[in-house]
Amino acid sequence: MKQAITRYDAASRYLHWLTAALLAAQFGVAWTMPDITRQTPAIGLVAWHLSLGATILGLTAMRLLWTRYRGTPASGQKSLLRAFAAIAHKGLYALLVVVPVLGWINASARGYGVKFLGAFPLPALSAPGSSFGHAMGDVHSLLAYVLLGAVALHICAALYHHWVLRDGTLHKMLPLQSQPEPNTYR
C-alpha cells in the first residue's frame, strides 16, 4: 500500500520558491525596462527579461514533469475547495507556459535571440518581422497582468488557508519549516 504524502518534497518546494523569486524578478525587470519599439535593442534589461522568461519556462517544464512523477500531498479539503484549487493550479501552470512562449514568439519576430539561463540559445518561434509575432507581444503583455492577478489570488488563498482555515496547507510548501503534527492548527 502506498503511503499518503502529507507534505511536498524538497525538490517541489524549492522549485516553487525559485519560480516565485524569478517571477518577482521578472515583473521588476518588466516594469523598469524601456518600452520596446522597433529600434529597441535586446540589451540590458530587455536581455534580462528575455532570459528570465526562458528560464521561467524551463523551470515550469521541470516542475510539471516532477509533479507528474512525484505527485502531490493528500488534501483534507472539502471537494469544492479541492476543485477550485485544482483549477487555480492548472491555470497558473498554463499562464507560466503561455506567457513566456508568447514573449518568445514576439522576441523572435523582433529578431531578438532568446537564451535559456542567459547562455543557451533557443530557436526562433516566428519569422523576423512577422505580424503574428508582433501581435503576440500585446497578448503577452495582457496575459502577464492576468498571471500577476493569478499569483496574487494564489498568495491570498495560501494566507486564507493559514490564517482562517488553519488547515496546515501552507506548511506543505514552506521551504525550511517542518510540518506541524495534525490537529495543532486550531
Side-chain angles (χ1 to χ4, degrees), residues 54-133:
T55 304
I56 289 167
L57 180 61
L59 189 61
T60 301
M62 287 173 48
R63 288 182 68 190
L64 288 167
L65 290 171
W66 183 251
T67 300
R68 178 118 174 121
Y69 165 76
R70 177 71 174 144
T72 58
S75 172
Q77 298 173 1
K78 296 177 181 172
S79 60
L80 186 60
L81 279 179
R82 194 170 38 249
F84 283 146
I87 291 167
H89 282 105
K90 287 176 183 170
L92 271 171
Y93 275 119
L95 288 166
L96 286 170
V97 170
V98 171
V99 171
V101 167
L102 293 175
W104 183 2
I105 291 169
N106 180 253
S108 298
R110 294 178 180 284
Y112 296 166
V114 177
K115 295 179 181 177
F116 177 68
L117 296 173
F120 305 102
L122 299 174
L125 293 184
S126 63
S130 160
S131 59
F132 171 76

Side-chain angles (χ1 to χ4, degrees), residues 5 31 51 55 58-59 62 69 74 86 97 108 124 132 137 142 146 157 169 176 179 184 186:
I5 303 169
W31 288 327
S51 182
T55 304
L59 189 61
M62 287 173 48
Y69 165 76
V97 170
S108 298
F132 171 76
L142 174 68
V146 173
T169 297
L176 299 174
Q179 184 172 348
T184 59
R186 301 211 182 262

Side-chain angles (χ1 to χ4, degrees), residues 107-173:
S108 298
R110 294 178 180 284
Y112 296 166
V114 177
K115 295 179 181 177
F116 177 68
L117 296 173
F120 305 102
L122 299 174
L125 293 184
S126 63
S130 160
S131 59
F132 171 76
H134 285 292
M136 290 305 98
D138 293 334
V139 179
H140 166 78
S141 296
L142 174 68
L143 288 182
Y145 285 107
V146 173
L147 174 59
L148 183 61
V151 168
L153 285 174
H154 181 70
I155 293 167
C156 289
L159 295 175
Y160 175 76
H161 276 277
H162 185 72
W163 295 107
V164 177
L165 296 179
R166 299 178 166 272
D167 61 4
T169 297
L170 182 62
H171 291 278
K172 292 178 182 180
M173 190 51 82

